[in-house]
Amino acid sequence: MAPPSRCFDNTMNGKTDNGAVPVVVDTQQQSPKVLDPEEFRRQGHQVIDFIADYYGRMGDYPVHPNVTPGFLRSLLPTEAPSRPEPDAFGSALQDVRDLILPGMTHWQSPRHFAHFPASSSTVGALGEALTAGINVIPFTWAASPAATELEMVVVDWLGKALHLPESLLFAGGGGGTLLGTSCEAMLCALVAARDNKLSEIGGNRIGDLVVYCSDQTHFAFCKAARIAGIQREHCREIQTCHENMFALSPTALQAAMKADVDAGLVPLFLCATVGTTQTTAVDPIGELCAVAAPCGVWVHVDAAYAGSALVCPEFRHVIDGAEAVDSFIMNAHKWLLANIDCCAMWVKKPSALVAALGSEPEYILKDAAGVVDYKDWSMALTRRFRALKMWLVLRCYGTDGLRDNIRSDVRMAKAFEDMVKADARFEVMTDRKFALVCFRLRSPQRFGGEKTANELNRALLEEVNAVRSGPYMSSAMVGGIYMLRCAVGSKLTEERHIKDAWEVVQDRASSVLGKMETIYSVHC
């Protein structure tokens, strides 16, 4: 290879006229083509084959890895390479297969019942790839007109499919957007409500604002309230009870608001939940709206998980009274076949969002009046073209296909619930509303009854999750009761996985009870 040519200007014996050592430039070195169509085609086929093989071999992986902190860091170099190795992409995929996947919790596993689903579909995954490849930034209408208008079309399509009130849709004077997560959406709604209220009572009274939720509301709400400037002690987490299936009581909410008004405070915001994380409790939306209305409280509905079920008419009743809410969110990436991330938010008055989150300075690509600039609907200016993925899912599966998927999961959850009820050693702890079953092993009186029930079930969950082949489940502590959670939702789950999971639970229950029998017989 010829030596690199040296490009010196005004040099004297290898030095510049000011005595500095010149920079050596290798004019033969070529920068890599990072958007080479043919290389993309080749590597793209590798990725598709890799993912297809991963789904096909999902059953070979333990759902939850048995690793210790630092396991992966010890296997990888401490610094990034300065130059790529030959076939760097192929080598990296091999490391994904051999080093990374064995240390993952496999959320798409048919035996993953611990969390609400992170739903995946071939169309959703390919839509995500298409979005990444096109890689536009639709922060204003002019920045990507079709992206903005497709998002407006998609949120109305989705809202109609979910049987939402027309007042939340663009078609009815409201409107929606696609964000990353429900946590982000909560914060946007809170900031809009805060600024709207302060415009009425004066900005100096921010310290008097109070927000409300139940003790079952996701902790992200109180975090969002703190970020929005609400004092910690002004986040009212109203206690729920087992007798009411852990739903927020309108009577308790009314009492809390009255006490705050009497104390000179200002009720601001209510976060009602349809499908709480721990037990899928459903707050009575219509009754809560009636309580909140006299105080001018912004009512927000968090339906992150269960909102997907609204695509089925038989679940529409869980949001009775939603015509009165101010904002509504659901995560299509949880249970509606849109890969992460894709949170849909609808608001009755988009102007409240724009007033609170809009950007005042003039930006390049400033739009004409009357169009939607989605940068003014959320915290971030840079945003992703999520609408393309959601549009593909709706087009390729259709609303009937989405209903079929939801109903299939609900049927399998009911089958699991029926098996629990058929074994007298167990009990179902909450009414199953969607595809989550909360249950526990009864503690016999000779083992202490209720006094030892929680510890008995902790031991049961540990044994269930220690079975390498699965299933993988989780727990909830609600109202002082420790219970196991079996959430059905992976698109790879079949009835046989449900039956296998229950057999493992029964087998491990026999083991735990046998150990208890030995302990108590020795002590006696």
Side-chain angles (χ1 to χ4, degrees), residues 199-330:
S199 69
E200 299 173 3
I201 65 175
N204 62 330
R205 296 197 64 191
I206 188 172
D208 294 333
L209 300 179
V210 187
V211 299
Y212 304 86
C213 62
S214 85
D215 59 1
Q216 300 304 302
T217 302
H218 197 281
F219 67 83
F221 173 64
C222 286
K223 179 178 180 178
R226 294 198 300 272
I227 296 172
I230 307 301
Q231 296 182 22
R232 288 176 181 264
E233 61 270 23
H234 287 175
C235 187
R236 305 278 185 257
E237 296 183 85
I238 299 171
Q239 186 173 354
T240 58
C241 61
H242 189 213
E243 290 72 20
N244 198 30
M245 287 294 120
F246 305 107
L248 176 57
S249 162
T251 302
L253 174 66
Q254 187 170 40
M257 287 186 176
K258 182 178 185 305
D260 285 330
V261 171
D262 291 345
L265 300 176
V266 181
L268 169 69
F269 194 98
L270 166 65
C271 182
T273 307
V274 174
T276 58
T277 299
Q278 298 208 84
T279 65
T280 65
V282 173
D283 294 338
I285 304 301
E287 296 174 59
L288 294 173
C289 286
V291 170
C295 294
V297 168
W298 181 295
V299 179
H300 172 81
V301 175
D302 174 10
Y305 160 68
S308 297
L310 298 175
V311 73
C312 303
E314 61 266 31
F315 289 111
R316 173 59 180 80
H317 67 280
V318 301
I319 59 166
D320 283 348
E323 293 78 11
V325 307
D326 297 283
S327 53
F328 187 101
I329 61 174
M330 58 82 64

Side-chain angles (χ1 to χ4, degrees), residues 134-158:
I134 296 173
N135 204 33
V136 297
I137 305 174
F139 68 108
T140 63
W141 178 88
S144 287
T148 295
E149 296 194 14
L150 184 64
E151 187 164 342
M152 296 173 69
V153 169
V154 163
V155 289
D156 265 16
W157 276 16
L158 183 56

Side-chain angles (χ1 to χ4, degrees), residues 167-168 173-175 192 196 298 326 347-354 377:
S167 57
L168 290 173
N196 185 64
W298 181 295
D326 297 283
V347 290
K348 182 176 291 185
K349 295 181 179 178
S351 58
L353 276 181
V354 175
W377 288 52

Side-chain angles (χ1 to χ4, degrees), residues 441-481:
L441 178 62
R442 301 177 192 270
S443 180
Q445 287 301 320
R446 66 183 184 279
F447 297 160
E450 281 298 318
K451 294 181 180 178
T452 60
N454 287 350
E455 290 306 314
L456 182 70
N457 281 279
R458 283 194 182 92
L460 173 59
L461 182 61
E462 287 181 7
E463 291 219 8
V464 167
N465 286 345
V467 177
R468 180 174 173 79
S469 61
Y472 180 45
M473 295 186 180
S474 61
S475 65
M477 175 68 84
V478 188
I481 303 171

Side-chain angles (χ1 to χ4, degrees), residues 32-103:
K33 293 181 67 176
V34 296
L35 284 179
D36 181 280
E38 292 309 313
E39 186 68 356
F40 181 74
R41 194 186 313 277
R42 184 183 70 83
Q43 294 175 344
H45 282 301
Q46 287 181 273
V47 170
I48 295 298
D49 287 343
F50 184 98
I51 296 172
D53 289 343
Y54 172 63
Y55 287 150
R57 295 182 52 215
M58 189 70 71
D60 297 342
Y61 294 100
V63 187
H64 191 64
N66 182 21
V67 294
T68 55
F71 81 97
L72 184 59
R73 293 198 302 272
S74 66
L75 298 173
L76 297 177
T78 57
E79 295 181 2
S82 60
R83 294 288 181 190
E85 61 193 290
D87 190 23
F89 193 78
S91 296
L93 283 181
Q94 184 172 343
D95 281 350
V96 173
R97 181 186 301 110
D98 298 340
L99 305 181
I100 296 175
L101 287 183

